[in-house]
Amino acid sequence: MMKRKWKILLFILIFGAEFALGFYISYVIGYMHSDAISRVANAFYVLYSRDPHLGAIGFVWNPLPSLMELGLLVFYPIMPALATYGLAAVLMSSIFAALTSVLLYSSGRKLGLGAGMSLTIALLYSLNPFVFLFGANGLSDAPYIYFVMYTIIEFCFWLKSRSTGNLIFSAFALAMAFWTRYEAVPLGVALAVGVVIAVFWMHRNYHSPGPTLREKAYKVEATWILLLIPAVFSGLLWIFFNYIIMDNPFYFLNSEYSNVAQSGQLQSDQSFVELFNSPWLALKFIAGKTLWYSAPLFAVLLIRLFTKRLFQGGTLILLLIFISVPGLQFLLLMRESSFGWFRYFMYVFPITVAWLPYELSLVRDRGRKLAFAVVVLSMLITAGLLSYAMTDPNIAPDENNFINMAENEHFEEQALDRSVGAWIDNHLDDNTNILTDSYSAYNLLVSSQNLKRYVITSDYIFETALNDPPGKDIDYILIPKPLPGIPKSAINTLYPDMFEQGNDWATLYHDFDGKWRLYKIKKWIPPQS
């Protein structure tokens, strides 16, 4: 009963603090990361667009974060800020940040660590300023980190007990991680190799011949089936959904809205061109980013060195899981499709922290306190390093935006987008039909009081209306200013000169600070009989 009480109190503490910060940033200040609000918008379209359907959730980004926000947006009619200011995303990330803290505490207790030691690890991780920000900003990182840590913790339980139940929990957590972010794919590959190491080289009994090579191979096969089938099935299902709905099984990889398309702008950045063409420079870039998060890994290696376990299989498994994160970024840089954001490398930190309770449980009681002191020191060093990184826009530009609104151009863009939506609500009749691409208009769409007036990308008539606006009862077209190197909206792509010049059937109706333009459509007049 006392253990449950501590878990509830820990959840309330972390959730309350995270949501308070998130509410202040998103609602009081009025800023939300574009990735976070766009996922809210995807869920919003499912319920409140002209053609409400589950497919409106989109087929580029993994759908689980938006699916979870979907349940919160049911209350949008009585609490519009859930969509307008993205509070649905803030609630989602705050909940998972709190769950992660409880998960860490619980794993320590299950592995025989004291309550004080387990709570210290949980709090040092959760209250790290960098990690804390991601529990408040509404991004998909908070749920992804929770599922990744759950995967690692259960995998560690399996390493210690070889319980099938732990493997099953790890498997489903890995599948949920995939439905949250694509970074789960290399993590799954690393765990698969980790299984081989665990079966062939860990838990040897030198006093008996043990299983034969063939028996070990069968054991690896059986373990892979349990651990990987849910994630593999999830990947195949996602490809199938893309195929039957978007007519392209790899739409999420190569569509005009995919990461590959968005990263096309990097070709105009000379520093990235150099990275793309030099594996050595790319490795240096990746190592530099990863080192900011690596103090806990060095702590584990130091503990293993002094306890004479450095060259055991567990060390190699941890390194493989750790390297899966920067390894993916290296692969993407070589394929010219990664922005290399600072947060893309952050997952090595929660991966290592998830391993810590297992690592400490392997140390005998006499050395455990010293090992714990090393762990605490590494966590404090990481907190200091990441706190400093957040203050430097050259290191962590995305995160610096949250603490430096004066130089945050995205904050100004979001304010303008909301003003566009408000102007349209106040000046145009509710029955007008406005064609716009939700790829670029998501901020103003979630702030609109009447989303059904818009014909957006997920609506059934969007393609036909786009190809013939005058003949499909479209009254206005809302179009963003095309920017060099930025993927164009579907409207800009089909009508490349329209923003600047209009055309024969569209005349400029209103200009919004040169960033958006509203064109009025001239309707076709049928010939008299």
Side-chain angles (χ1 to χ4, degrees):
M1 188 67 180
M2 186 59 68
K3 290 182 180 180
R4 180 176 296 180
K5 179 181 177 181
W6 279 112
K7 291 178 185 178
I8 293 172
L9 288 174
L10 181 59
F11 179 90
I12 292 172
L13 169 68
I14 300 300
F15 171 76
E18 294 279 18
F19 183 73
L21 176 61
F23 182 87
Y24 176 75
I25 294 173
S26 63
Y27 187 81
V28 178
I29 295 178
Y31 172 67
M32 173 156 276
H33 195 287
S34 57
D35 285 0
I37 194 67
S38 66
R39 287 182 183 266
V40 173
N42 287 341
F44 190 60
Y45 306 148
V46 171
L47 296 175
Y48 302 106
S49 67
R50 175 182 297 249
D51 294 317
H53 61 288
L54 190 57
I57 209 162
F59 290 89
V60 174
W61 306 121
N62 315 58
L64 185 57
S66 292
L67 283 171
M68 292 187 289
E69 291 161 1
L70 199 62
L72 297 170
L73 288 173
V74 169
F75 302 100
Y76 164 78
I78 60 175
M79 194 180 298
L82 287 169
T84 305
Y85 290 94
L87 289 184
V90 175
L91 278 166
M92 183 268 296
S93 63
S94 300
I95 289 170
F96 276 98
L99 288 173
T100 300
S101 192
V102 173
L103 177 67
L104 269 173
Y105 173 78
S106 300
S107 68
R109 299 297 286 138
K110 288 179 182 177
L111 286 165
L113 304 186
M117 195 174 288
S118 301
L119 185 61
T120 300
I121 293 174
L123 290 177
L124 282 174
Y125 174 77
S126 298
L127 298 181
N128 179 304
F130 191 88
V131 173
F132 193 80
L133 174 63
F134 280 85
N137 63 11
L139 285 167
S140 61
D141 300 273
Y144 177 71
I145 286 170
Y146 173 77
F147 292 127
V148 165
M149 294 184 87
Y150 203 120
T151 302
I152 302 300
I153 286 169
E154 291 293 339
F155 188 79
C156 288
F157 289 163
W158 174 78
L159 287 176
K160 197 163 189 177
S161 68
R162 298 305 171 99
S163 168
T164 301
N166 295 136
L167 208 60
I168 292 172
F169 280 119
S170 185
F172 280 98
L174 179 62
M176 297 300 280
F178 169 80
W179 287 112
T180 307
R181 292 188 67 88
Y182 295 117
E183 285 88 344
V185 174
L187 173 63
V189 173
L191 288 172
V193 179
V195 166
V196 177
I197 296 169
V199 171
F200 276 84
W201 289 286
M202 293 179 68
H203 294 279
R204 294 189 199 176
N205 187 343
Y206 294 99
H207 301 290
S208 64
T212 64
L213 189 64
R214 175 172 291 186
E215 290 171 336
K216 288 181 178 179
Y218 289 153
K219 178 69 173 178
V220 167
E221 181 183 15
T223 306
W224 277 355
I225 290 173
L226 279 176
L227 179 63
L228 301 177
I229 282 295
V232 172
F233 179 75
S234 295
L236 294 174
L237 197 61
W238 186 231
I239 291 172
F240 177 68
F241 287 156
N242 275 258
Y243 171 70
I244 63 171
I245 297 176
M246 306 307 296
D247 295 323
N248 176 3
F250 300 106
Y251 181 86
F252 63 97
L253 282 178
N254 57 26
S255 72
E256 66 271 28
Y257 303 113
S258 67
N259 182 68
V260 173
Q262 293 184 41
S263 57
Q265 61 183 285
L266 297 176
Q267 296 298 333
S268 60
D269 188 325
Q270 186 57 36
S271 61
F272 272 97
V273 172
E274 292 175 1
L275 289 176
F276 296 155
N277 294 320
S278 173
W280 172 243
L281 287 178
L283 284 172
K284 287 178 62 179
F285 173 82
I286 289 168
K289 299 274 188 179
T290 306
L291 279 172
W292 288 89
Y293 305 96
S294 299
L297 175 67
F298 296 139
V300 172
L301 296 179
L302 187 63
I303 292 168
R304 284 186 164 254
L305 176 64
F306 282 101
T307 55
K308 300 179 181 180
R309 293 180 295 112
L310 183 61
F311 299 104
Q312 293 184 2
T315 306
L316 185 55
I317 292 174
L318 174 59
L319 289 174
L320 281 170
I321 299 171
F322 185 96
I323 291 171
S324 70
V325 177
L328 174 64
Q329 293 306 312
F330 178 76
L331 177 63
L332 292 176
L333 282 174
M334 292 298 94
R335 294 179 59 84
E336 304 180 2
S337 57
S338 174
F339 288 85
W341 296 121
F342 191 64
R343 66 187 174 98
Y344 290 173
F345 300 86
M346 72 178 290
Y347 307 122
V348 297
F349 181 45
I351 282 173
T352 312
V353 172
W355 183 278
L356 290 177
Y358 167 71
E359 187 63 37
L360 291 172
S361 74
L362 299 177
V363 181
R364 294 179 179 177
D365 291 338
R366 288 183 298 176
R368 184 175 292 178
K369 289 183 179 179
L370 181 58
F372 177 66
V374 173
V375 165
V376 169
L377 179 61
S378 73
M379 299 280 278
L380 291 173
I381 290 172
T382 305
L385 287 172
L386 296 181
S387 297
Y388 171 76
M390 290 170 61
T391 66
D392 189 340
N394 295 317
I395 299 172
D398 259 12
E399 292 70 36
N400 184 259
N401 281 334
F402 286 93
I403 59 177
N404 190 8
M405 294 295 171
E407 299 180 12
N408 185 348
E409 61 182 19
H410 300 293
F411 174 62
E412 297 175 0
E413 292 172 1
Q414 290 182 12
L416 174 63
D417 289 351
R418 291 193 186 103
S419 71
V420 173
W423 190 94
I424 290 173
D425 285 339
N426 293 330
H427 290 83
L428 298 184
D429 188 88
D430 280 348
N431 295 321
T432 55
N433 295 317
I434 305 170
L435 181 72
T436 194
D437 188 341
S438 53
Y439 166 74
S440 49
Y442 51 86
N443 266 309
L444 68 90
L445 293 174
V446 296
S447 65
S448 173
Q449 297 176 10
N450 179 17
L451 182 61
K452 294 186 183 296
R453 75 163 81 228
Y454 294 94
V455 178
I456 60 175
T457 317
S458 59
D459 290 334
Y460 300 136
I461 66 168
F462 180 79
E463 289 294 334
T464 56
L466 178 63
N467 289 299
D468 183 16
K472 298 301 178 182
D473 200 30
I474 298 299
D475 300 302
Y476 298 91
I477 288 182
L478 182 63
I479 184 171
K481 181 180 181 178
L483 299 174
I486 304 296
K488 295 180 179 179
S489 74
I491 301 172
N492 292 118
T493 301
L494 188 60
Y495 307 111
D497 300 322
M498 186 173 180
F499 183 86
E500 296 293 345
Q501 304 173 13
N503 54 39
D504 294 339
W505 41 263
T507 56
L508 182 62
Y509 187 79
H510 194 83
D511 180 275
F512 301 94
D513 293 347
K515 303 296 185 182
W516 289 90
R517 286 184 175 176
L518 186 67
Y519 279 89
K520 188 174 178 62
I521 306 303
K522 301 174 185 177
K523 300 298 180 67
W524 295 130
I525 301 176
Q528 295 182 354
S529 57

